[in-house]
Amino acid sequence: MAIRSLASRRTLAGLKETSSRLLGLRSIQTFTLPDLPYDYSALEPAISGEIMQIHHQKHHQAYVTNYNNALEQLDQAVNKGDASTVVKLQSAIKFNGGGHVNHSIFWKNLAPVKEGGGEPPKGALGGAIDTHFGSLEGLVKKMSAEGAALQGSGWVWLGLDKELKTLVVDTTANQDPLVTKGGSLVPLVGIDVWEHAYYLQYKNVRPEYLKNVWKVINWKYASEVYEKECK
Amino acid sequence: SIIKEMAASSAVTADYVLKPPPYSLDALEPFMSRQTLEFHWGKHHRAYVDNLKKQVLGSDLEGKTLDHIILNTYNNGDLLPAFNNAAQAWNHEFFWESMKPGGGGKPSGELLALLERDFTSYEKFYDEFNAAAATQFGAGWAWLAYADNKLKVMKTPNAVNPLVLGSFPLLTIDVWEHAYYLDFQNRRPDYIKTFMNNLVSWEAVSSRLHAAKAASSSSA
């Protein structure tokens, strides 16, 4: 996830930084849209290049922009001690910050077939999936069913419960990150089931999108996260 | 109760029927494409109706009217299973009838007077309605509604509608992404403006307002 100050604000940030330090205040870190590690069309035919481009350049970018705006407003409200504005901003931060967090994970959850997309997980994660869900097919069936049944917008997740040391399948509404369902949950694989994730290609047939997305799921990344969190 | 009277007197009577819009599927072009209507009405709305029928079969909701199911499954927000299909069936029929070919623009007469009374000006109403539709996060609807003798703008998530919130719906715009994605992709604000400028049926809104006032006064 690329985190760096917005270029156009570098000079202003410098002045702000000085005066902030004089006043004993922090300056905030803003966010930028992470690059995709593959071309927009690289996930075809599972996900069209048209969808990938709009999803990344329009939807994710909007979350980043709006998150930065909310953070700026939050910073000012915190510095002024304006508690009710701080609280009022929480939903904008959850929506847009959540959108940025979730989509940043999503792009890493996907990979072109020629870079391992769709290849089943091996090693520790593969074993854990078999233990908890019987087989990869069992996990896929469960996640696809829960994703299809989700009303409105949201995500379906495979997560690791760090405390209980189990794998869990869960859904979140809108852009709520998985951690909102449990403080010890670590997202391994998230599948976006907002209509913008599939509509141009699959229209109303969300189950068809869910059937095909598994062909480009990057289990190598999920395994890395799993092994790191299990240490 | 007044809510039951409001629901009963509303123009939507779809009791598990997929009613076609009061215009052909290409009649709203170029503002809303035929392709959108084919999917939105022909697939999404149809599925809510078909799934509702299957869902209530053999249950104590079988044979009940649509508005009865909606009011009884809302359960103060802790939604019972049939709510989504029932409310979405209702919402979509209400939505088609909120639009017409050659619609949009400023209303006149009594409706304009009331908008000016309750929003200061039509422009202020327009801005407030647009903002509600643009800021309903995720899936949902924006509404012009009537309650306590006043017009107000509301926004609701997913399938929720003003009926379950004690208000009489007068106008709605669907802001689920499936409503605008084929024509506008991510550009929801453009879709909302197009709806307001070119699609709203103020005749439908006026007749719903008359029904709302009649229902209110008969329950006073």
Side-chain angles (χ1 to χ4, degrees):
Chain A
M1 214 186 313
I3 303 175
R4 42 181 202 274
S5 300
L6 298 172
S8 60
R9 292 171 166 209
R10 216 160 265 149
T11 320
L12 211 55
L15 290 171
K16 217 172 135 184
E17 185 64 42
T18 311
S19 58
S20 290
R21 267 191 263 119
L22 288 175
L23 293 167
L25 303 167
R26 312 161 285 107
S27 62
I28 56 161
Q29 215 153 36
T30 50
F31 295 83
T32 54
L33 183 68
D35 290 331
L36 291 194
Y38 38 77
D39 289 340
Y40 289 129
S41 58
L43 304 181
E44 288 183 352
I47 306 179
S48 72
E50 188 188 17
I51 285 181
M52 289 304 294
Q53 180 164 6
I54 296 173
H55 203 172
H56 182 247
Q57 283 183 2
K58 307 288 183 186
H59 290 278
H60 189 173
Q61 177 64 70
Y63 290 127
V64 169
T65 303
N66 294 333
Y67 184 38
N68 287 336
N69 289 338
L71 288 175
E72 293 278 348
Q73 292 176 61
L74 179 67
D75 189 49
Q76 286 168 35
V78 167
N79 289 340
K80 281 195 289 188
D82 182 354
S84 57
T85 300
V86 168
V87 172
K88 202 171 84 168
L89 286 166
Q90 295 311 301
S91 65
I93 286 173
K94 188 161 88 156
F95 294 162
N96 295 296
H100 173 54
V101 164
N102 292 339
H103 286 85
S104 300
I105 295 169
F106 189 50
W107 309 136
K108 292 190 238 183
N109 282 154
L110 302 170
V113 169
K114 64 180 167 124
E115 284 164 42
E119 253 174 53
K122 306 182 212 5
L125 180 58
I129 287 172
D130 288 345
T131 302
H132 288 106
F133 303 102
S135 62
L136 180 62
E137 290 68 41
L139 169 65
V140 165
K141 196 162 165 224
K142 186 175 168 70
M143 281 182 76
S144 298
E146 295 204 17
L150 192 152
Q151 290 287 325
S153 307
W155 294 74
V156 59
W157 302 93
L158 170 67
L160 164 67
D161 186 322
K162 274 172 70 165
E163 251 169 64
L164 301 177
K165 304 213 191 311
T166 55
L167 294 179
V168 300
V169 167
D170 208 344
T171 58
T172 57
N174 297 333
Q175 291 300 348
D176 296 356
L178 181 60
V179 74
T180 59
K181 284 308 235 350
S184 56
L185 294 177
V186 175
L188 300 175
V189 176
I191 299 178
D192 190 348
V193 293
W194 280 63
E195 288 170 329
H196 66 238
Y198 60 88
Y199 207 80
L200 294 177
Q201 185 177 356
Y202 293 96
K203 310 291 193 301
N204 59 299
V205 196
R206 193 193 286 178
E208 196 62 24
Y209 158 67
L210 287 167
K211 210 171 87 182
N212 283 285
V213 75
W214 296 104
K215 299 174 185 167
V216 288
I217 290 295
N218 181 5
W219 287 107
K220 276 190 267 183
Y221 170 73
S223 289
E224 283 165 20
V225 177
Y226 180 77
E227 284 169 24
K228 179 167 146 248
E229 294 292 342
C230 278
K231 284 213 178 72
Chain B
S1 77
I2 188 168
I3 297 168
K4 286 203 176 127
E5 274 221 46
M6 284 189 216
S9 63
S10 76
V12 175
T13 54
D15 283 315
Y16 323 14
V17 172
L18 180 67
K19 202 171 154 195
Y23 37 77
S24 61
L25 297 187
D26 62 355
L28 300 182
E29 290 208 347
F31 308 112
M32 186 176 284
S33 66
R34 178 179 50 84
Q35 193 193 28
T36 290
L37 267 292
E38 280 173 353
F39 281 100
H40 197 177
W41 174 79
K43 307 278 184 185
H44 290 273
H45 185 179
R46 185 184 304 276
Y48 289 125
V49 173
D50 289 348
N51 291 336
L52 176 66
K53 283 184 205 167
K54 285 185 222 151
Q55 196 170 30
V56 303
L57 202 59
S59 80
D60 58 358
L61 293 173
E62 190 180 351
K64 297 287 194 288
T65 63
L66 198 58
D67 44 272
H68 172 101
I69 297 177
I70 292 167
L71 292 173
N72 284 278
T73 56
Y74 178 66
N75 196 30
N76 287 311
D78 189 11
L79 310 177
L80 300 177
F83 180 79
N84 279 309
N85 288 320
Q88 286 290 80
W90 194 99
N91 296 341
H92 281 86
E93 186 178 307
F94 192 81
F95 177 52
W96 309 129
E97 295 176 356
S98 294
M99 296 186 286
K100 66 167 207 177
K106 215 163 147 170
S108 56
E110 183 196 14
L111 187 51
L112 180 61
L114 283 177
L115 286 171
E116 287 173 343
R117 183 195 71 183
D118 294 335
F119 295 94
T120 316
S121 66
Y122 171 75
E123 287 69 31
K124 287 240 167 73
F125 155 71
Y126 182 97
D127 288 345
E128 196 175 321
F129 187 85
N130 271 36
T135 59
Q136 175 50 44
F137 194 76
W141 304 75
W143 309 83
L144 174 66
Y146 177 83
D148 304 318
N149 238 311
K150 272 194 71 172
L151 297 179
K152 59 178 177 172
V153 165
M154 299 171 68
K155 60 184 184 184
T156 56
N158 296 345
V160 178
N161 65 31
L163 290 176
V164 303
L165 301 173
S167 297
F168 198 108
L170 301 178
L171 171 67
T172 195
I173 181 173
D174 188 348
V175 293
W176 284 60
E177 286 176 328
H178 64 239
Y180 58 91
Y181 217 82
L182 296 178
D183 296 340
F184 294 93
Q185 293 81 60
N186 60 298
R187 292 169 290 122
R188 194 196 285 189
D190 288 346
Y191 159 64
I192 300 164
K193 275 196 206 77
T194 301
F195 173 85
M196 291 301 290
N197 296 347
N198 303 105
L199 292 171
V200 173
S201 167
W202 290 117
E203 287 83 0
V205 176
S206 287
S207 75
R208 290 157 177 176
L209 179 60
H210 283 148
K213 287 172 145 191
S216 300
S217 61
S218 73
S219 306

